[in-house]
Amino acid sequence: MATAMHLLRTLSALFLSGSLAACAHAAGDAPPSGHAATGATAGAVATGRYPDLFAEAGYAPGQVRAKVDAAFAQLFHGDPGEEAVYYESGANAHGPMAYIHDVNSNDVRSEGMSYGMMIAVQLDRKREFDAIWNWAMTHMYHDDPAHPAHGYFAWSVRTDGVPNDEMPAPDGEEYFITALYFASARWGDGEGLYDYRAHADRLLRDVLHREKITGQTRRGLMTAVNLFDKDARMVRFTPDVGNAAHTDASYHLPAFYEVWARVGPQADRAFWKQAAQVSRDYFVLASHPRTALTPDYGNFDGTPWAAPWRQESDDFRYDAWRTAMNWSMDWSWWRADPRQVELSNRLQAFFASQGMDAYQSLYTLDGKPLGGGQTTGLVAMNATASLAADHPRRLDFVRALWERPVPRGHHRYYDGMLYLMALLHCSGQYRAWLPADAAG
């Protein structure tokens, strides 16, 4: 019986892989591809066919386009009091400026700004992309070589640009860099601030090679290093030396590192290729063997880290929602690590066992619920896990995302950004925009 069931699952997986290719939905012109590989062993970057999970779940192309367009319209240009998170904020010599507002925390975060740029480049919205980038470089970027965050972005500032915390959160830099490379490939490079590739190259060199700097901040004297540990080949939780030997599973983005290994500075490409594999291994180490849940913060060896100021960070909480998106995007784009299929299957099996309409948002790693209700952000991230999962339940998670309305109200920032990125992932519109000779 076990052998028969294994054969059945294998045949089902092959059928589903073929269905993904057949149902792939092009969102405008496909990114250029310089690789001729085809079939189930090649990822979407090589084939140019990005899975449209909504089509596979039975939704018509027109419905999908309308849903994505409506979400973007509401979150970027909807009612400023209840719907929008994108706010235009005057102009400077470089042109219009805009920020993404975390309404709940009443601040602007490098996370949200970089998400906004990634969403804009995926949807071919250059004006919004440039306005966000202009605001980020004007109000968040540190160009003072004496500052410990030199070359990075403050992770949290007020809407008037005054910093709340001058130090970076490295996931912001990761998304900024990748969005800039995609903008360069999709739109071409401009001059100065809008020479996208030049800025991406500079940022990427700094996150890897920037030397230790000790200097004054609003919180006193601080010392910071690079954003990636060269020995561990792993993204740090923070470059602040007191906590630099830790990481965050949701900051691990091997799909992006593969991009950097193709288009980043030539001297560092081998490092980024190695970093991608290290992150794939880290997902396996950090995920619980039964639930596949990962902690918010972790040590380089994959064990959870309860930060002194946030003891609950060793649980599955708000940061950790995104980890499944990271490994599933990596599988969809590059098909480098089949363990990611099993991770998504295990994660979705756990949440399905909790009840599709009843599972909570916060858990211990072994699956004890900690409350939080069911939030759109987690529903969205669980849907992206279907990019890697091969069990039929995967489409239940896609349909659960479809049934969710566009977030509005006080918590619309985090839920809304994750929701819109998930719509793009699940509709085949979240793509690696690369030069023609870099897609293989």
Side-chain angles (χ1 to χ4, degrees):
M1 176 64 74
T3 302
M5 287 300 294
H6 177 74
L7 177 60
L8 179 59
R9 291 188 181 117
T10 301
L11 291 172
S12 297
L14 290 171
F15 173 77
L16 285 170
S17 296
S19 297
L20 286 174
C23 293
H25 167 60
D29 294 333
S33 174
H35 197 287
T38 58
T41 59
V45 177
T47 65
R49 296 191 299 272
Y50 289 75
D52 184 343
L53 303 181
F54 289 133
E56 191 178 350
Y59 302 103
Q63 291 178 285
V64 176
R65 285 193 298 272
K67 194 169 192 70
V68 172
D69 289 348
F72 179 84
Q74 179 171 316
L75 290 167
F76 276 68
H77 300 292
D79 174 66
E82 286 294 319
E83 296 179 333
V85 297
Y86 171 91
Y87 293 85
E88 298 199 351
S89 180
N92 60 15
H94 300 294
M97 294 190 292
Y99 59 83
I100 302 291
H101 188 205
D102 181 342
V103 180
N104 182 55
S105 299
N106 193 27
D107 67 349
V108 179
R109 303 185 169 205
S110 60
E111 161 200 85
M113 295 290 279
S114 60
Y115 286 177
M117 286 170 57
M118 181 61 75
I119 289 165
V121 73
Q122 297 296 345
L123 290 175
D124 199 19
R125 303 295 298 237
K126 188 175 186 298
R127 185 184 190 282
E128 288 87 347
F129 184 100
D130 286 349
I132 296 171
W133 176 235
N134 188 6
W135 202 98
M137 286 296 290
T138 300
H139 295 297
M140 305 178 85
Y141 181 72
H142 292 286
D143 59 5
D144 178 359
H147 196 285
H150 171 62
Y152 310 143
F153 295 84
W155 80 266
S156 172
V157 302
R158 297 183 339 200
T159 57
D160 61 3
V162 175
N164 297 313
D165 190 327
E166 295 158 279
M167 300 305 287
D171 59 332
E173 278 73 9
E174 291 177 307
Y175 270 86
F176 279 131
I177 290 164
T178 310
L180 288 165
Y181 279 132
F182 289 174
S184 173
R186 186 162 199 185
W187 298 322
D189 293 312
E191 297 181 354
L193 185 66
Y194 305 113
D195 187 347
Y196 305 123
R197 182 160 187 164
H199 284 286
D201 284 346
R202 174 182 48 77
L203 288 168
L204 192 52
R205 288 190 188 96
D206 282 341
V207 302
L208 183 57
H209 296 298
R210 214 215 64 182
E211 298 293 334
K212 182 187 295 185
I213 298 174
T214 300
Q216 287 292 335
T217 73
R218 292 167 64 90
R219 292 190 290 160
L221 196 68
M222 296 186 71
T223 301
V225 291
N226 56 356
L227 300 191
F228 278 78
D229 185 292
K230 289 185 179 180
D231 293 328
R233 288 175 170 76
M234 200 175 295
V235 64
R236 303 182 191 275
F237 170 71
T238 175
D240 174 6
V241 292
N243 296 297
H246 303 284
T247 189
D248 180 322
S250 75
Y251 291 5
H252 285 251
L253 287 155
F256 290 0
Y257 309 156
E258 290 282 1
V259 171
W260 303 351
R262 287 158 172 78
V263 301
Q266 187 71 43
D268 298 326
R269 292 184 181 184
F271 177 90
W272 296 121
K273 188 74 174 176
Q274 294 165 357
Q277 187 54 51
V278 167
S279 285
R280 291 167 186 139
D281 293 338
Y282 188 81
F283 291 142
V284 176
L285 290 171
S287 61
H288 189 273
R290 181 175 58 82
T291 65
L293 300 176
T294 58
D296 268 12
Y297 305 162
N299 300 305
F300 287 159
D301 64 2
T303 56
W305 175 45
W309 67 90
R310 189 170 173 249
Q311 289 287 315
E312 70 274 15
S313 62
D314 61 354
D315 293 323
F316 175 86
R317 291 177 179 270
Y318 306 100
D319 272 21
W321 295 353
R322 306 171 295 190
T323 309
M325 173 178 65
N326 296 357
W327 77 55
S328 300
M329 170 171 54
D330 184 47
W331 174 252
S332 177
W333 283 12
W334 304 107
R335 291 289 178 102
D337 191 343
R339 295 176 297 178
Q340 294 165 339
V341 177
E342 194 276 330
L343 285 173
S344 279
N345 285 340
R346 197 190 325 156
L347 182 86
Q348 290 186 337
F350 167 72
F351 281 109
S353 75
Q354 300 291 296
M356 290 295 292
D357 296 323
Y359 68 74
Q360 298 293 294
S361 296
L362 312 175
Y363 284 89
T364 61
L365 299 190
D366 62 359
K368 177 184 176 182
L370 299 173
Q374 188 170 110
T375 58
T376 295
L378 180 56
V379 170
M381 295 297 92
N382 286 346
T384 66
S386 300
L387 291 167
D390 63 3
H391 189 282
R393 76 169 73 86
R394 59 200 279 277
L395 295 183
D396 295 337
F397 287 87
V398 173
R399 295 184 183 104
L401 170 62
W402 182 272
E403 291 167 3
R404 286 269 169 166
V406 184
R408 54 180 291 133
H410 199 61
H411 297 284
R412 64 186 181 272
Y413 157 72
Y414 195 53
D415 278 347
M417 290 287 97
L418 298 186
Y419 174 86
L420 186 45
M421 287 201 295
L423 289 185
L424 294 173
H425 276 300
C426 292
S427 62
Q429 297 181 69
Y430 198 118
R431 298 169 170 230
W433 294 89
L434 300 175
D437 61 351

